[in-house]
Each structure stands twice: as structure tokens, then as C-alpha cells.
Amino acid sequence: MNFVIIGGDAAGMSAASRAKRNNPDLDVTVLEKTMDVSYSACGMPYNIADPGREIEDLVVRQAHVFREKQNINLLTGHCVESIDPVGMIVSGTSLQGKPFDVSYDKLLIATGGSPIFPYLEGFDLPGVLALKSLDDGRKLKAYIKSNHVKKVVIIGMGYIALEMCEALRVRSIDVDMVKPRPVFLPWMEKELADVVKNEVEAHQIKLYSGHTIEKIDFENKRLKVICPDIMLDADMVLTAIGIQPNSDLAAQAGLDLGVKNAIAVNKKLQTSDENIYAAGDCADAYHVVTGEKTWIPLALRANRAGWAAADNVCGKSMELSGIAGTAVFKVFDLEVARTGLTVDQAKQFGFDPVKVTIKTRSRAHAHPGASMIHVHMVGDTKTGRLLGAQMVGKEGVAHRINAPAVALHNRMTVEDYCQTDLSYAPPFGPTWDPTLTAANQLLKKI
């Protein structure tokens, strides 16, 4: 059997490696349009913060290792341009301009996502960059060095934008951030979002929310981000307004698309064609709280989905229950985390939500070095279920969010969560874990 994979990053290479472990005799071919495979994209902001580190440090496994040690036919520089589901052939062109056709018995589409670039004047100018692929990071780091960048305008204020504003400030680069939407971190409870906003502004970053970008100009050797009411100048502009699934190949092949035009898959990662699977940022998923389809591109899901697709291709039936949207990021001295639904999302999916926000210490009362943790929780008055949680603090947030995430996967009620036996020691938290304190307060409203 020929198992062909389009895309050589998280989902693609996880699937290729898993398939060869399951069945060493299986013919596995990976077609990757770039020359980079298996790298830590999430580590790029931290690498960029250190001019002494090579971007290649982020490569987890070199291409030759997959070829020589795992006997995977990894073809880099091979861009797939079409899929023929009837003839079961993928076709494309190599970087050398040579056309190729590869036949498959089972196919995995793992094409990931791409940064959103507005169709506006000036977004194609030199120095207007994005950060998604390793080559993006390579170009961005080289541009900062070769152009002696001292000022950057970041368009967007999401995860990557906030991680990059820290990376740039570490390098003593001035940063302005601008976006059209008026609310800073609109998915986050305002009390928590204000804590993050204050932290960002405390590091001399200027935030401009609610300003529509009209175009980018270049004059007097400076880029200028032009809005109707303000103009921001820069040596470099970083576009960080989100990503979109790379689903065009699937759409052109007649496969069904789902939420936000991601490739629609079932719990076995099969598309509308039983011989074609999709995994990673290009594919949708089920949300464990709502049971409905969603699209939340995250690294763990990509790797897990790659494994599951490979297991199913190899005859080992594997279904994924779904995702809770659990995520964490660092911005200067803060850890910011979330899982599950917001109040607005809960209403959208028919729940009757109530919420609570508490502020408590990160360590026991008498233990030195404590800071504040803000915890926000959402529950459902009709079923008593826990629906979501958010946290912000200087310590104890990144891993603490995992407890509510596990509760969401197991459809626990708020009362159930109140009874969980969480760990305690004075250096790590109060006797009542902050999430238990929040849950106890939330229970009074349910």
C-alpha cells in the first residue's frame, strides 16, 4: 500500500513516523513544498529574541534522518498542485520546475495554515513580513539584522503578536501594535485582559485598538502604516492578524470543507473521501464541550491527529474525541491561559452560562514571593457543567490550566470539580487551589 502525505511539518511527519512504526514495510511518501520539515514553529519568537541563536536550532529532526533511519521517502521542494481522487494521483512541480505524479492508496492532507495577508496596498513591500513557517522566521531574523531594525509596527494583537512584541523588546526594538477591532483580547474576560494590557504597556509598547488599516507606504526609507486617523512609521511591519487553513487543494478536489473553510473530517480524520485523510491546521475538529465542529489550530492537536490518521491507515481503528481549545502563551512576566468556552460562546451553543472571576495568591499566605493569579470560570446553570476557564498570573498558570481542561474532556460538573483532589504545598499555591476557589464561588451561582 502506498501512503502519501502532503506536508512535512507537525501532522505530516508525525503521521509518517507513526505509520512506519506500525508497519515498517509500508511505502510512505511525504511531499513537502519547502526544504524544511519537523521544526518547532512555536519556538520562533523566543529564537528571534536571541540574535546569537541560529533559526536552525528549531529543527527537531533533520530530513536525512527520516530518509535514512526510518526509510520514509521524504521529497522536499515538491509542491503538490492538484489531487485526483478518482485516479488516486497527486500532481505538482518540484523547485527545479520538473512536474511529478505520485499515486496513492491512502492520502493524508497535512498542508497546515497560512498567515492572513490583507488585500491592501503596500502589504507586498519589502519589510512587511509574517511569521508562520521556519522560512518566515529565517527571513524575519535576517531582515532585522541586515536592516538594523529599531522600530516595528505589529498589525494584530493575538498570541503571535504578543509573543513577538516581547521578543522585539528584548532586542531593544521599539514596538507599536495596531488593529481594527476596538477590544484588546476580545475572547478574554475584561478584568483579565486588562492585566495583560497593563503588562504590555508597562514595557513601553503603544497599543492602537480600533484603527482600520488602509495601506502601507514606503517613503524616506521608512514604512508607514496608514489609518484614517493615525500614521505609524517603522523599519519593519509584522502582520499577525491570524491564520487560515490551507484547504484549497482539498476544495479543488471536491472534498467537503467545514468551519472557517477548514477541511471537514470525522473522528477518524477521514474527509468526505474515505481514502483521503486530513490533519493539523488545515482540518477541523470536534469541540469536547459543545460536541460541534470547530477550527482551533494548535500544535498538540496536529501531532495527535497525525498519529490517529496513521493508525487508521494502518488498520488500527482510532477516533479522537476532540479538543477543548486549551492554550497558553507568555507575554513578558505574565502567563496567559484558556480552555473551553467563553460566556458568549456558551450562549451561542445553547447553554445558560454564569461566570465568576476571582483574584488570589499564587502561593500560601505565609510563603514569600507570592504574586496574584486571576481566575475566570464559566458554568452552565441547566446542567451544572463546567464550560470554560481562563487564567492570568506571573506564576502557576501554564500548568494549572490543565486541570480544568481535563474536567472539560470528562464533562465534569462544577460540583464535581469542587471535589477534585488537587495538590498543595506552600511554595506552589494556597491550600485551596485557585481553580478550586473559583469553582466554589461559581457553584453558588448554579
Side-chain angles (χ1 to χ4, degrees):
M1 183 172 68
N2 293 325
F3 180 30
V4 175
I5 300 167
I6 306 172
D9 194 18
M13 296 318 300
S14 290
S17 297
R18 181 83 159 194
K20 291 299 284 188
R21 283 196 299 272
N22 287 341
N23 183 355
D25 295 326
L26 183 69
D27 289 327
V28 178
T29 298
V30 180
L31 302 165
E32 166 56 42
K33 67 179 181 179
T34 74
M35 300 305 292
D36 300 309
V37 297
S38 189
Y39 56 88
S40 174
C42 299
M44 286 193 292
Y46 309 101
N47 181 285
I48 290 165
D50 184 354
R53 284 183 62 193
E54 296 294 330
I55 201 78
E56 313 304 325
D57 290 349
L58 296 173
V59 175
V60 178
R61 187 175 297 175
Q62 299 285 349
H64 71 87
V65 176
F66 290 106
R67 296 177 183 124
E68 296 166 9
K69 292 192 175 181
Q70 295 180 265
N71 197 29
I72 293 168
N73 182 26
L74 172 56
L75 302 175
T76 53
H78 281 63
C79 180
V80 175
E81 295 164 345
S82 65
I83 301 168
D84 176 5
V86 177
M88 301 176 77
I89 293 172
V90 297
S91 304
T93 308
S94 72
L95 286 179
Q96 291 75 35
K98 296 181 180 178
F100 64 83
D101 296 305
V102 180
S103 62
Y104 66 86
D105 297 300
K106 299 292 182 181
L107 176 68
L108 171 64
I109 303 173
T111 45
S114 295
I116 297 171
F117 261 79
Y119 291 105
L120 296 172
E121 182 182 343
F123 275 81
D124 57 349
L125 286 168
V128 181
L129 305 172
L131 185 63
K132 180 63 172 70
S133 69
L134 190 67
D135 200 46
D136 290 336
R138 193 178 284 123
K139 291 174 181 176
L140 195 151
K141 202 165 187 179
Y143 192 90
I144 291 173
K145 180 179 180 180
S146 61
N147 291 274
H148 307 289
V149 170
K150 295 298 181 185
K151 169 74 179 298
V152 173
V153 171
I154 300 177
I155 300 176
M157 298 182 192
Y159 296 173
I160 296 299
L162 290 168
E163 288 176 339
M164 278 303 299
C165 78
E166 177 184 352
L168 295 167
R169 290 300 294 136
V170 167
R171 297 185 61 166
S172 299
I173 295 172
D174 292 333
V175 178
D176 290 346
M177 304 180 78
V178 60
K179 69 169 187 172
R181 296 176 70 180
V183 180
F184 180 80
L185 293 182
W187 53 266
M188 177 164 270
E189 183 69 10
K190 186 178 186 304
E191 183 178 328
L192 278 67
D194 285 345
V195 176
V196 182
K197 183 179 180 182
N198 291 339
E199 178 74 6
V200 172
E201 291 180 330
H203 287 82
Q204 292 77 53
I205 292 167
K206 296 177 182 177
L207 301 177
Y208 298 92
S209 298
H211 297 272
T212 301
I213 291 86
E214 292 185 333
K215 63 179 179 177
I216 301 175
D217 274 346
F218 182 78
E219 59 180 66
N220 299 323
K221 300 182 179 180
R222 298 278 280 178
L223 291 163
K224 298 184 183 298
V225 178
I226 298 175
C227 305
D229 46 352
I230 59 171
M231 182 176 69
L232 306 173
D233 65 336
D235 302 309
M236 186 182 88
V237 174
L238 175 65
T239 300
I241 57 176
I243 71 167
Q244 56 194 357
N246 291 331
S247 56
D248 287 352
L249 270 177
Q252 291 163 11
L255 302 180
D256 290 347
L257 301 186
V259 179
K260 295 186 179 179
N261 285 327
I263 304 169
V265 295
N266 62 20
K267 292 186 177 181
K268 291 188 174 183
L269 287 307
Q270 284 175 307
T271 67
S272 51
D273 183 315
E274 64 178 3
N275 294 311
I276 302 177
Y277 296 74
D281 291 356
C282 64
D284 65 12
Y286 288 91
H287 200 290
V288 295
V289 178
T290 67
E292 302 292 332
K293 284 296 193 73
T294 188
W295 181 70
I296 306 174
L298 293 168
L300 177 58
R301 166 69 183 192
N303 283 277
R304 178 177 285 143
W307 278 16
D311 283 350
N312 286 307
V313 164
C314 293
K316 297 182 178 182
S317 182
M318 171 62 71
E319 291 191 355
L320 297 185
S321 61
I323 57 175
T326 310
V328 63
F329 64 92
K330 175 182 177 294
V331 55
F332 297 104
D333 292 331
L334 288 181
E335 301 171 12
V336 185
R338 68 182 295 190
T339 190
L341 305 181
T342 65
V343 168
D344 288 343
Q345 289 170 334
K347 290 177 181 176
Q348 177 187 340
F349 285 99
F351 294 102
D352 186 11
V354 287
K355 64 180 180 177
V356 69
T357 303
I358 63 110
K359 183 169 68 173
T360 187
R361 295 167 61 88
S362 64
R363 304 182 189 183
H365 174 71
H367 200 86
S371 57
M372 299 310 298
I373 286 185
H374 299 253
V375 182
H376 173 75
M377 273 191 171
V378 182
D380 180 35
T381 59
K382 290 189 289 189
T383 62
R385 283 178 63 189
L386 180 65
L387 299 179
Q390 300 175 359
M391 276 183 258
V392 173
K394 291 190 175 183
E395 64 174 9
V397 167
H399 295 294
R400 187 169 266 122
I401 196 69
N402 290 331
V406 171
L408 296 180
H409 275 270
N410 287 279
R411 302 176 66 86
M412 289 173 65
T413 65
V414 176
E415 186 173 9
D416 290 336
Y417 191 85
C418 288
Q419 296 298 322
T420 53
D421 185 21
L422 302 184
S423 64
Y424 160 67
F428 306 113
T431 306
W432 290 91
D433 183 86
T435 62
L436 290 177
T437 300
N440 285 331
Q441 294 298 317
L442 185 59
L443 187 59
K444 296 175 183 178
K445 297 186 175 184
I446 291 180

